[in-house]
Amino acid sequence: MYFAGIDIGSRTIELVILDGEEIVLTRQADAGVDPISRARAILRDVDYDQIIATGYGRHLFESSFDAPTVTEIRAHATGACALFPGVHTILDIGGQDSKAIAVNDAGRVTKFEMNDRCAAGTGKFLEIMANTLGYRLDEFGLGALEAKKDIRISNMCTVFAESEVTSLLARGEDRQDIALALHWSVVRKTIGMLRRVSVREPIVFVGGVALNPCLHLLLEKALEKDIIVPEDPQIVGAYGAALLAKKTAISASTIL
Amino acid sequence: MTGYRDMWQALGLDLGAHSALLEALGKGYQDIYLSQRNRPQGMSYFDFVMKEVHGLRIRELLDEKKAGHKIIGSFCVFVPEEIVRAVDSTLVGLCTGAEFATEEVEELLPRNTCPLIKSAFGFKLGKACPYIEASDMIVGENTCDGKKKSYEVLRDLVRKMYIMDIPQVKSDGGRALLKAEYLRFKETMEQFTGISIDADRLRKGIEIVNNKRKALHRLSGLRRANPVPISGLDALLINQVYFYDDPKRFTDSVNGICDELETRIERGEGVFPRSTPRVLLTGCPMAIPNWKIPHIIETAGAVIVGEESCVGERGVRNLTDGSGETVEELMEAIVERYFKVDCAIFTPNPDRLEHILEMYEAYRADGVIHYCLQFCQPYLMESMPVERALEDRGIPTLRIETDYSLEDIGQLKTRIEAFLELIL
């Protein structure tokens, strides 16, 4: 039997198909402005017996596809626990959300924190700042790692931080030094959120922002702990949703 | 409601803005309330009250005024309704539950003021609250800093403003202050109406208000049942209407719905299935039409079984002892009763945590959602120690801070759904 998990985020959509336990297909697409059409496209010619949706767009998917949903929090926890049994803390930073999740020994979520309506400290913040400094998003972290000097950026608000960056550039600061300062500001905010939940090891970092090597390094430095980043940190939510789809299908068949 | 146009005009309302407000309110009510399933039949009375909240009820208040009675507006459960009733006057809660005329408000108040205070000003400045316009006197109370300082500004915008001081510490000195303030309020009301309060009048006032509270106690008791016979949204609405409706009619209507709920419980009927997770709400008051969080909770698959809030059990938990013989004894009983209210303006405020725990047990809740209005310092400050204390006892707790806007609905849904996944 095939089980599907689809994670409809603000920036990207991920699909994972399981054949039993094994991942047989992963796909990714930009969410764009019409995520449901994108989801439909990504699902074209894919076979599955049960699907579960998660992510910001899960309710849209639910009404268009009549499929059950789970929150990103449960999906990421399930995915991360399956990839790294025994994990206690999960950090997920995506396009517009950041989440810290504590998991007990049985793999159950015991507590979580999420950013509020503001996109400070999320992928969106990094994207806008990369743009302001003329970096491609995938070079931004590497660029920051070349910094020579410590500067402090005090504003967490995307709008204010952007004008702070502009005035730092006008003062003649190097862009890699500003880039590092921006990464530190995200790390400080993230650490606060993690400490309110848990920093118990093992810690797994997932979501699109986990691809940023500078952020990974700074988080480890600030926490003085190892942080695991999975090979493909963006599919963990969809993978968790697929595992939950499997569980749903199996419990439904036992009832029958 | 076009039949009330002249009345609203005479009250000085901005008819255009007011009709836009009523339209939004009607739509919100349709989407949030009338779309619920398995509602008790007795809710039709409260649907009617809501439909007429700016219509028939205002006409009734204006008729009372014509007959020589006074309408007293208030923003807080510390204003003793017993005393208002004792001089044949009516106490009404003023509109504070929606964003209105925000730009105008921010010319008078800082942007980072709590939405409840901003809303009160918005309804006044936008000329959209018939209650504030119909009030002969508005009683402000020195509770939180936001309210007490904003009353200094409100004073110039309304006909007659009276400020009541409220203690912040539950000490002998605090109690003496509350007593002095209630005696001063009693004298003010006597002068304002020309009615002198004797023991009979005060006892009668106590009885009317106690009966309202007793009806709500009966209602909350019935919410202990599983399945729950009434939604949290409907129960909240009843608690909100408490501040507007004629007290006797309100009491009868609540008792009527309780009769119906008892039959439901006997038959094992509920609004949601037996397995529905049960949530206790605690925190800031929710004024009409602030139904945002309860709506998200109950459409996410949970049911609210109690509100530890001023619009809820904190406001009505205690009765006033009406057995005293003299005015002095009865006034003492009123002070005794209100001094127990465990508002977060008190420091320290250990009773509130005790009550949350008590309600959690009594209503057989599975988790607690702590609700705070943005910039509400007293409840925000308390929310973290309350969360820690509940979690230390193994009670799942979710802390939410929000305002009256709808921008954060997506994130709130995710957080609330994830919380329900956690307690299931």
Side-chain angles (χ1 to χ4, degrees), chain B residues 367-387:
Chain B
V368 175
I369 295 186
H370 193 294
Y371 163 79
C372 269
L373 288 169
Q374 212 173 14
F375 309 121
C376 171
Q377 226 174 26
Y379 282 95
L380 282 168
M381 288 271 183
E382 263 190 30
S383 69
M384 294 200 196
V386 164
E387 177 188 40

Side-chain angles (χ1 to χ4, degrees), chain B residues 206-223:
Chain B
I206 291 172
E207 191 194 336
I208 293 171
V209 184
N210 273 347
N211 285 343
K212 282 212 282 188
R213 294 174 182 140
K214 282 182 196 160
L216 287 181
H217 295 174
R218 194 176 156 206
L219 176 69
S220 13
L222 297 172
R223 295 167 77 192

Side-chain angles (χ1 to χ4, degrees), chain B residues 89-117:
Chain B
S89 297
T90 295
L91 186 72
V92 291
L94 300 174
C95 308
T96 55
E99 278 184 334
F100 206 78
T102 307
E103 292 79 11
E104 288 173 63
V105 174
E106 287 174 0
E107 288 171 23
L108 294 179
L109 298 178
R111 183 176 288 244
N112 52 355
T113 302
C114 101
L116 189 144
I117 297 171

Side-chain angles (χ1 to χ4, degrees), chain A residues 58-59 69-74 96-97 99 108-118 196, chain B residues 374 387 391 397-399 402-403 405 407-408 411 413-415 417-419 421-424:
Chain A
R58 66 189 181 283
H59 289 301
T69 64
V70 294
T71 65
E72 302 90 291
I73 289 152
R74 183 153 180 235
Q96 67 174 26
D97 285 342
K99 303 177 191 78
R108 275 189 67 105
V109 176
T110 53
K111 191 169 174 60
F112 62 89
E113 282 275 343
M114 208 177 134
N115 66 320
D116 47 31
R117 67 187 82 192
C118 168
R196 284 198 297 276
Chain B
Q374 212 173 14
E387 177 188 40
E391 284 180 346
T397 307
L398 176 69
R399 240 172 352 102
T402 186
D403 60 12
S405 75
E407 292 154 21
D408 57 348
Q411 264 136 340
K413 270 190 183 157
T414 300
R415 296 184 61 191
E417 286 176 21
F419 181 65
E421 288 169 348
L422 178 159
I423 64 179
L424 269 174

